[in-house]
Amino acid sequence: MKKIIFLWLCFGVMSISHSQTLTIKDQKTNIPLELVTLISKTPNSFAITNANGQANILAFKGAEMIEIRTLGYKTVVTNYAELQSSNFEILMESFNLNLNEVVVSGTRWNQISDNVPSKITSISSKEIAFQNPQTAADLLEVSGRVYIQKSQQGGGSPMIRGFATNRLLYTLDGVRMNTAIFRGGNLQNVINMDPFAIENTEILFGPGSVIYGSDAIGGVMSFKTLTPQLSLSEQPLVSGKGITRYSSSNNEKTGHFDVNVGWKKWAFVTSFSTWDFDHLKQGSHGPVDYIKNYYVQQQNNADQVVTQEDPLLQIPSAYSQMNIMQKLRYVPNESWDFQYGFHYSETSPYGRYDRHNRIRNGTARYAEWSYGPQKWTMNHFSLNHKGENKLYDQATFRLAYQKFGESRIDRSLNKTKRRNNMEEVQAYSVNLDFIKTISLKNTLFYGFEYVLNDVDSEGMQTDISTNISTKGASRYPNAQWSSLAVYLNDTFEVSEQFTLQAGLRYNHFTLDADFANNLDFYPFPFKTASLSNGALTGSLGGVFRPAEDWVLNANFGTAFRSPNVDDIGKVFDSEPGSVTVPNPNLEAEYAYNWDLGIAKVFSDAVKLDITAYYTLLKNALVRRDFKLNGQVEIMYDGQLSKVQAMQNAAKAKVYGVQLGLAVKLPSGFSFSSDVNYQKGEEELDDGITSSSRHAAPFFGVSRLTFKAQKIKLQFYSTYQGERKFEDLAVSEQSKDEIYAKDLNGNNYSPSWYTLNLKALYNLSETFVINAGIENMTDQRYRPYSSGISASGRNFIMSLQANF
């Protein structure tokens, strides 16, 4: 009898253990769905499915409402009892018209998007795999709502709602990536990240300073890398993928491999990627102004201007890159989750193509102008604790150390002096974030942050005829920039239809700069410079849901950007005949933003969402004419140059509309379109206004998609409107090396479009083939403000093996 009772108990335990695992599959294909999120309020629980479409839902036991969501599928609302009666298996229906999804970037915690008044767009790993972006910059462009500028092939500078560079913020796994040398000019730092290792990307549009601090004026780009997955059985969970890809327009050769091994408490992910890009070939139909049919080469110790055999090649633009990621996870019980991540990225040196387009005395201005290897290392430790005590329900602690290395090398044509500027930034950050449910209607998000950047800058000059190197002027002073902040964000459900969210953050920032390394080269009237100031930012917004098929949201928010080392201490040639010098008397700039959005689904067939916004930037840091020791001009690099400096000298405004349309068509077809209109104005020295440099022209993407069990096809078009000479920013009008010429011989950015076709076919459960033709009509076009033309007709082929 005792043996029978024992067997029944064992059977019961096994049944209970089995019942804790939920399996989620696609309704049509029966394929397990990875990265499906499960959320319940009572109990307060969150889970996500692994590579086998499984999640442990023990913490959801007794839940009366569980929301199950993933991009591209209809939301399932159920309870624990119903899951139990369905034998813990859910089939999800494909559906692209959801009004809400699970997002993190709004508060650093998992939330349903229709509780967040800010506009947030997500890019799933499935969409990344289908679109096959070459870099993380191209990944952002997949959204259709982020404009990408490029000065060279090895780069990509996002523009969001009229802002760019150091007025946008990057985070990776919740860690701030902006450094104290992020400049106002275009940045290429986003390519540090590996698109193959990204699990999910979110773009928060508008101010994010309450949660993220300085720089989050135009938006926040939040990247989440692959999370080590645990096994839910006695057998180890082993999964991963290998990818190889070739593209014709730049002779791309790419390889990637990642593997996840998980046990019940331990798991790790290893990822490795390598890229090799040849010189990029532009299209054959378009403005002749974009063709540079020569390059400079050293022959017999002399610079020679060489005529290219193929004038459509953009030389020099080739580069290569490699990325490594190693993550480790330990979950001893349901209360604790420890994770460690190591990231490393390194590029080869690569030419800055727009500088190679500059002309002086009827020939090439530079013999050399390149970025040295761009290196990035991050060590990141995080722990999450489910406390459910008086102070918090959950707490997350993040500790990160990053090291950034970059350099610039230039030499004028037929000159022997090569100049090399080298920068190294060591970035330390500590974040402590909490979430506390005060009641069923009221949730608090609060936290603390400390950031320290240590900047080391060196300059060197080398005579290439003798190979003798001497100390040269550095680009920056040696400096430290720090930020200490506390924030509070409250979400209150006024009713089932209406949610309010309000937040407040106080940030204190300091900067100490030492100009001793440059006093031998420039007559600065100071040796050191210091800043110590504070910034208070806030937000107030609401979401109104009159019915399940439409949502209205409104939001007012402020944001700030503290002066950094690039603002206060940089010396560089901003344009021919001008030199920018340090200015130690700077204050933070502030932005005030209003958002209004409406989203509506019609008859489960059409989804329309519109967001209008207006941003006012005050005390803006802009480059203006300046005096150095009473002089308006100084000699710089052998040329008499006008003196300029960053100053709190202007105000600016940006306003616009983002519109999205999605239509579900019969027989597996669907149509979607994202278009963006923005207009920016900034104040000039004489009080008149100029167009804002970073407000892109009208742009968008429209897609016709067909999806069946094993195949997905998409025909799509990307496009940009014209930016006339008189509508260019005054600072852009003289940049002959970037723009085409209109009928009057003035610089302008022509309108353009591309036609493209992508296809994905599942050969088996293991192998997936992806192919495409980009820019089918071989247009020669250059995205606005870019210094290099985009790819001409490009054939892409990749093979992915899943295991």
Side-chain angles (χ1 to χ4, degrees):
M1 186 65 181
K2 290 181 179 180
K3 292 182 179 180
I4 294 175
I5 293 174
F6 177 77
L7 289 173
W8 274 106
L9 286 173
C10 289
F11 180 79
V13 170
M14 291 171 63
S15 298
I16 293 171
S17 175
H18 176 72
S19 70
Q20 295 168 351
T21 300
L22 175 69
T23 302
I24 302 178
K25 299 179 179 180
D26 181 283
Q27 187 182 76
K28 289 185 177 179
T29 65
N30 214 38
I31 295 174
L33 296 177
E34 186 180 4
L35 303 178
V36 180
T37 57
L38 296 88
I39 293 181
S40 75
K41 289 186 177 181
T42 309
N44 190 351
S45 298
F46 174 84
I48 188 167
T49 59
N50 61 20
N52 294 331
Q54 296 178 328
N56 187 340
I57 61 168
L58 177 63
F60 291 82
K61 191 170 184 179
E64 295 182 358
M65 187 173 76
I66 303 173
E67 297 180 56
I68 304 174
R69 305 170 187 270
T70 190
L71 283 174
Y73 288 84
K74 184 172 288 188
T75 298
V76 175
V77 179
T78 184
N79 56 55
Y80 191 87
E82 289 179 352
L83 292 178
Q84 196 170 25
S85 64
S86 66
N87 201 26
F88 295 98
E89 183 172 290
I90 290 290
L91 300 178
M92 297 191 72
E93 179 186 353
S94 179
F95 189 70
N96 288 315
L97 305 180
N98 287 325
L99 288 178
N100 47 56
E101 57 191 87
V102 177
V103 296
V104 177
S105 55
T107 60
R108 288 185 177 270
W109 295 96
N110 295 292
Q111 278 186 292
I112 305 302
S113 61
D114 63 7
N115 288 328
V116 181
S118 300
K119 176 67 177 177
I120 299 176
T121 292
S122 295
I123 308 173
S124 69
S125 56
K126 288 184 178 180
E127 186 64 16
I128 296 171
F130 176 70
Q131 294 294 344
N132 243 339
Q134 290 188 333
T135 68
D138 301 325
L139 182 159
L140 291 168
E141 202 169 28
V142 168
S143 69
R145 305 192 176 200
V146 178
Y147 196 88
I148 300 297
Q149 180 277 352
K150 291 186 179 183
S151 297
Q152 62 280 326
Q153 186 174 199
S157 188
M159 297 182 184
I160 298 177
R161 290 190 173 185
F163 294 99
T165 62
N166 54 20
R167 290 175 181 149
L168 301 176
L169 186 77
Y170 303 92
T171 70
L172 185 80
D173 293 338
V175 177
R176 174 190 180 92
M177 293 191 68
N178 289 39
T179 73
I181 63 170
F182 265 37
R183 57 191 181 274
N186 298 305
L187 293 166
Q188 69 272 5
N189 299 69
V190 69
I191 67 170
N192 286 330
M193 288 166 280
D194 180 359
F196 292 114
I198 300 297
E199 186 174 276
N200 184 60
T201 302
E202 292 180 7
I203 304 157
L204 184 151
F205 295 91
S209 282
V210 168
I211 303 299
Y212 296 98
S214 179
D215 304 1
I217 290 179
V220 177
M221 292 157 285
S222 175
F223 299 88
K224 182 182 179 183
T225 59
L226 299 172
T227 302
Q229 298 179 355
L230 300 170
S231 174
L232 301 180
S233 68
E234 297 298 329
Q235 298 297 319
L237 173 65
V238 180
S239 61
K241 63 181 179 290
I243 299 173
T244 181
R245 184 177 63 208
Y246 174 81
S247 298
S248 63
S249 66
N250 53 9
N251 198 25
E252 176 200 6
K253 296 174 285 292
T254 290
H256 167 79
F257 175 80
D258 67 69
V259 61
N260 178 100
V261 180
W263 296 269
K264 284 194 171 183
K265 294 184 177 182
W266 290 89
F268 70 82
V269 168
T270 301
S271 173
F272 175 78
S273 299
T274 178
W275 297 263
D276 183 77
F277 302 106
D278 205 340
H279 303 298
L280 181 63
K281 186 174 182 177
Q282 59 187 326
S284 57
H285 308 294
V288 296
D289 308 288
Y290 294 157
I291 296 178
K292 177 180 72 72
N293 62 350
Y294 63 87
Y295 63 94
V296 179
Q297 188 179 71
Q298 272 265 305
Q299 296 178 1
N300 300 321
N301 297 320
D303 292 330
Q304 299 293 329
V305 178
V306 179
T307 301
Q308 295 176 193
E309 292 183 8
D310 185 347
L312 298 181
L313 279 180
Q314 299 177 96
I315 303 174
S317 60
Y319 89 104
S320 59
Q321 180 174 337
M322 59 89 70
N323 277 61
I324 299 172
M325 183 184 77
Q326 180 65 62
K327 298 181 74 173
L328 182 67
R329 184 181 184 190
Y330 174 56
V331 183
N333 52 49
E334 294 180 9
S335 298
W336 294 94
D337 190 339
F338 299 84
Q339 294 191 43
Y340 165 76
F342 170 79
H343 303 262
Y344 180 78
S345 174
E346 180 176 352
T347 72
S348 66
Y350 50 94
R352 180 164 169 177
Y353 187 75
D354 62 338
R355 293 299 174 94
H356 284 272
N357 284 346
R358 288 187 175 178
I359 302 295
R360 187 165 67 179
N361 299 326
T363 188
R365 166 74 172 84
Y366 291 102
E368 301 176 51
W369 213 118
S370 62
Y371 289 108
Q374 180 172 296
K375 300 179 182 180
W376 166 66
T377 304
M378 182 168 81
N379 289 275
H380 173 218
F381 170 76
S382 69
L383 66 86
N384 181 277
H385 180 238
K386 296 179 181 178
E388 297 187 0
N389 52 49
K390 291 183 179 180
L391 291 179
Y392 59 86
D393 296 330
Q394 290 190 68
T396 296
F397 172 74
R398 294 182 179 91
L399 180 65
Y401 165 74
Q402 299 179 80
K403 186 176 180 180
F404 300 83
E406 58 186 57
S407 59
R408 296 164 177 81
I409 304 101
D410 69 88
R411 183 174 62 84
S412 297
L413 185 71
N414 296 322
K415 302 294 183 181
T416 60
K417 184 183 72 175
R418 176 189 290 133
R419 183 173 52 183
N420 192 343
N421 289 114
M422 298 155 287
E423 279 73 56
E424 181 179 281
V425 180
Q426 298 186 73
Y428 308 84
S429 62
V430 180
N431 290 86
L432 190 55
D433 300 291
F434 302 95
I435 180 173
K436 178 62 181 176
T437 301
I438 306 300
S439 66
L440 288 177
K441 293 187 175 183
N442 195 7
T443 304
L444 287 178
F445 308 88
Y446 64 100
F448 310 89
E449 179 185 69
Y450 176 71
V451 179
L452 173 66
N453 280 195
D454 195 343
V455 179
D456 183 66
S457 184
E458 296 181 14
M460 183 174 65
Q461 292 184 3
T462 302
D463 189 322
I464 64 170
S465 64
T466 62
N467 207 31
I468 295 175
S469 296
T470 58
K471 181 182 177 182
S474 66
R475 182 177 172 89
Y476 299 112
N478 292 326
Q480 281 193 341
W481 178 90
S482 67
S483 169
L484 179 65
V486 57
Y487 76 90
L488 174 68
N489 203 68
D490 186 22
T491 298
F492 182 72
E493 293 186 17
V494 179
S495 67
E496 291 185 1
Q497 289 79 35
F498 185 47
T499 301
L500 275 175
Q501 189 174 101
L504 201 65
R505 180 190 184 101
Y506 178 74
N507 223 109
H508 188 81
F509 54 88
T510 63
L511 192 157
D512 295 296
D514 183 354
F515 292 89
N517 56 349
N518 271 339
L519 292 180
D520 293 338
F521 303 96
Y522 304 111
F524 296 149
F526 44 79
K527 293 183 179 180
T528 62
S530 297
L531 292 176
S532 181
N533 214 329
L536 182 67
T537 52
S539 64
L540 176 64
V543 180
F544 180 53
R545 301 171 296 277
E548 290 185 0
D549 57 0
W550 65 304
V551 176
L552 294 87
N553 63 277
N555 189 53
F556 169 74
T558 62
F560 80 101
R561 187 177 76 82
S562 68
N564 63 17
V565 178
D566 183 84
D567 298 309
I568 198 174
K570 177 170 60 177
V571 180
F572 82 116
D573 55 332
S574 54
E575 57 191 15
S578 298
V579 58
T580 299
V581 301
N583 178 12
N585 302 308
L586 296 177
E587 299 176 356
E589 55 185 18
Y590 273 86
Y592 303 84
N593 180 82
W594 292 263
D595 268 86
L596 179 63
I598 301 174
K600 169 72 173 173
V601 175
F602 301 89
S603 303
D604 274 353
V606 178
K607 175 186 172 182
L608 179 68
D609 72 89
I610 305 173
T611 302
Y613 58 90
Y614 178 91
T615 305
L616 176 65
L617 184 67
K618 301 186 72 174
N619 220 22
L621 289 164
V622 291
R623 192 169 63 242
R624 292 285 187 264
D625 291 346
F626 195 65
K627 290 184 179 181
L628 185 62
N629 288 337
Q631 297 180 345
V632 296
E633 291 183 317
I634 63 173
M635 291 299 296
Y636 180 80
D637 195 25
Q639 182 177 358
L640 187 64
S641 300
K642 180 171 61 177
V643 177
Q644 296 184 324
M646 297 298 294
Q647 301 172 57
N648 293 104
K651 61 181 179 181
K653 63 180 179 181
V654 179
Y655 54 90
V657 177
Q658 295 174 299
L659 186 147
L661 174 68
V663 181
K664 185 178 180 181
L665 301 171
S667 305
F669 284 92
S670 63
F671 174 81
S672 65
S673 189
D674 289 288
V675 295
N676 307 265
Y677 171 81
Q678 50 276 307
K679 186 173 178 61
E681 299 176 1
E682 62 182 31
E683 185 181 24
L684 299 181
D685 278 346
D686 53 8
I688 66 172
T689 59
S690 164
S691 296
S692 174
R693 175 187 177 187
H694 291 131
F698 171 84
F699 72 95
V701 57
S702 298
R703 320 166 189 87
L704 178 65
T705 306
F706 171 76
K707 188 176 180 181
Q709 286 193 357
K710 290 188 175 184
I711 192 170
K712 181 178 179 180
L713 299 172
Q714 187 175 96
F715 175 75
Y716 66 99
S717 176
T718 59
Y719 37 86
Q720 174 208 291
E722 180 184 77
R723 179 61 56 87
K724 296 180 180 178
F725 171 77
E726 55 268 26
D727 295 327
L728 285 174
V730 171
S731 61
E732 296 290 286
Q733 291 178 346
S734 60
K735 294 183 178 179
D736 296 331
E737 70 271 22
I738 290 179
Y739 295 103
K741 299 290 185 181
D742 63 18
L743 295 177
N744 298 316
N746 294 321
N747 293 322
Y748 84 118
S749 179
S751 61
W752 53 262
Y753 72 92
T754 67
L755 301 178
N756 316 271
L757 181 65
K758 293 281 178 69
L760 182 147
Y761 184 73
N762 292 282
L763 296 171
S764 65
E765 292 184 2
T766 301
F767 293 102
V768 179
I769 190 169
N770 191 310
I773 308 175
E774 295 177 334
N775 193 3
M776 297 168 65
T777 56
D778 204 24
Q779 300 295 307
R780 180 166 59 248
Y781 70 99
R782 186 168 290 182
Y784 164 74
S785 191
S786 293
I788 188 170
S789 298
S791 168
R793 184 183 295 117
N794 185 30
F795 296 91
I796 305 170
M797 179 70 71
S798 74
L799 179 66
Q800 176 172 327
N802 302 309
F803 59 92

